[in-house]
Amino acid sequence: MSTLPPRAGRRCHNALNPVHSTVYFSPDLGKEMGALGIADADAAYFAARSAALGAVGAGTVSATFYNFNHELVARHLPAVWSVASPQAVLDARLRAADTTLRRLLGEETIASAGLAEAAQLALRATEGCTRHARPLYAAHADLPVPQEPHLAYWHAATLLREHRGDAHLAALLAAGLDPVEAMVSHTATGKGMAPRWILATRGWRRADWEAAAERLRVRGLLDAEGELTEAGVALRAGLEEATDEMDAAPYEHLGAEGVERLTELGRGYLFAAASAGAFPADLTGKG
């Protein structure tokens, strides 16, 4: 039985996860990867996020990333590893995280006691994570923890993000949602990535999107206007609840007081990062 308030772990995740994601929207990652000889933005993303797994091929990345078109992944993997090794990519990603966080949060915050406390709390939460059936989390859990607090915080946010992400993929499979159906239904909640961003970055075509929407309509999850039906709303809510259950361990380990404090600190850093332009203004939405 949980010792935490309802959805406390999810709220904490929602405060920390975007901090992990800042590096993938940052020009600093492009500069670091370009210096390695990886100039293509898609190749840079696939390499940076999968490098902890080693010099893997397209099959592994398509499986663990879930919502990318395999054809897009296969254009870049495993070829990218002939340009730069996974370790070189991991080093470049960490340098990009350092530069990005310093720019977004400012040196005063980087050196603050609050950020050091947030790093300690987030790392303590990761002690409750488990490796089994969580490939992206498990690979990142084998990486060393950076010494500097802001990078330790980013590292812990990465672990917690991939831990929940691996669980969420299991929930999507159980719900019978394929990669495009998962994105269409998430976007229909108003909280997912906007369709034009998905189509520009995930390798799918408009026809793939429309076909997935039609499959959801046939299942009674989406109406004629592209809005979630009552059954669709229930399905998406159930997905998050199932993910919460599979992702409860790190937050139960941290405890209610620690989760509340980490969420408070994390929301402050997220607000600062977002205010500094960490994310595109039109990233989410139904349009």
Side-chain angles (χ1 to χ4, degrees):
M1 186 172 180
S2 177
T3 62
L4 302 177
R7 295 180 292 282
R10 190 193 308 179
R11 287 192 293 271
C12 192
H13 163 82
N14 289 342
L16 271 65
N17 175 41
V19 174
H20 153 83
S21 300
T22 56
V23 71
Y24 297 116
F25 293 98
S26 172
D28 303 308
L29 181 64
K31 292 176 183 176
E32 290 288 350
M33 298 297 280
L36 296 180
I38 305 173
D40 184 276
D42 290 328
Y45 174 79
F46 293 137
R49 190 158 170 233
S50 71
L53 294 163
V56 294
T60 300
V61 169
S62 295
T64 55
F65 286 23
Y66 199 80
N67 59 19
F68 287 83
N69 189 325
H70 179 72
E71 293 178 4
L72 174 63
V73 181
R75 288 179 208 158
H76 304 290
L77 293 175
V80 73
W81 307 124
S82 67
V83 179
S85 69
Q87 187 58 56
V89 169
L90 287 170
D91 292 342
R93 186 179 69 163
L94 194 61
R95 290 193 299 270
D98 178 40
T99 306
T100 299
L101 292 178
R102 289 182 185 277
R103 173 169 47 80
L104 295 175
L105 301 182
E107 293 297 336
E108 183 176 346
T109 296
I110 292 296
S112 68
L115 189 52
E117 179 188 1
Q120 292 174 348
L121 289 169
L123 287 170
R124 191 185 310 159
T126 68
E127 294 171 359
C129 294
T130 56
R131 284 180 168 82
H132 47 275
R134 300 180 197 266
L136 270 176
Y137 162 75
H140 283 86
D142 286 342
L143 300 179
V145 178
Q147 291 298 309
E148 294 184 80
H150 67 293
L151 293 179
Y153 180 71
W154 183 83
H155 174 76
T158 302
L159 295 181
L160 293 169
R161 181 263 178 273
E162 301 297 9
H163 190 267
R164 184 178 180 88
D166 287 336
H168 191 62
L169 301 193
L172 291 174
L173 283 173
L177 292 177
D178 70 26
V180 189
E181 292 165 356
M183 291 185 290
V184 171
S185 61
H186 189 208
T187 294
T189 68
K191 299 177 182 179
M193 186 178 286
R196 68 185 196 86
W197 272 96
I198 291 172
L199 296 178
T201 61
R202 266 51 180 174
W204 302 104
R205 299 175 295 274
R206 175 60 66 174
D208 299 316
W209 183 271
E210 296 299 338
E214 179 59 25
R215 292 193 298 274
L216 293 174
R217 281 190 281 270
V218 170
R219 288 178 62 181
L221 301 173
L222 212 63
D223 65 21
E225 287 71 45
E227 299 292 331
L228 289 173
T229 63
E230 185 176 341
V233 171
L235 179 90
R236 289 301 318 187
L239 280 169
E240 295 303 327
E241 290 169 5
T243 305
D244 288 346
E245 285 188 34
M246 290 185 280
D247 189 45
Y251 305 103
E252 293 286 354
H253 179 77
L254 184 57
E257 184 177 340
V259 169
E260 182 179 4
R261 177 60 174 159
L262 180 57
T263 303
E264 176 189 10
L265 290 167
R267 283 175 173 167
Y269 302 134
L270 173 56
F271 178 79
S275 298
F279 311 104
D282 59 349
L283 182 62
T284 60
K286 299 181 182 181

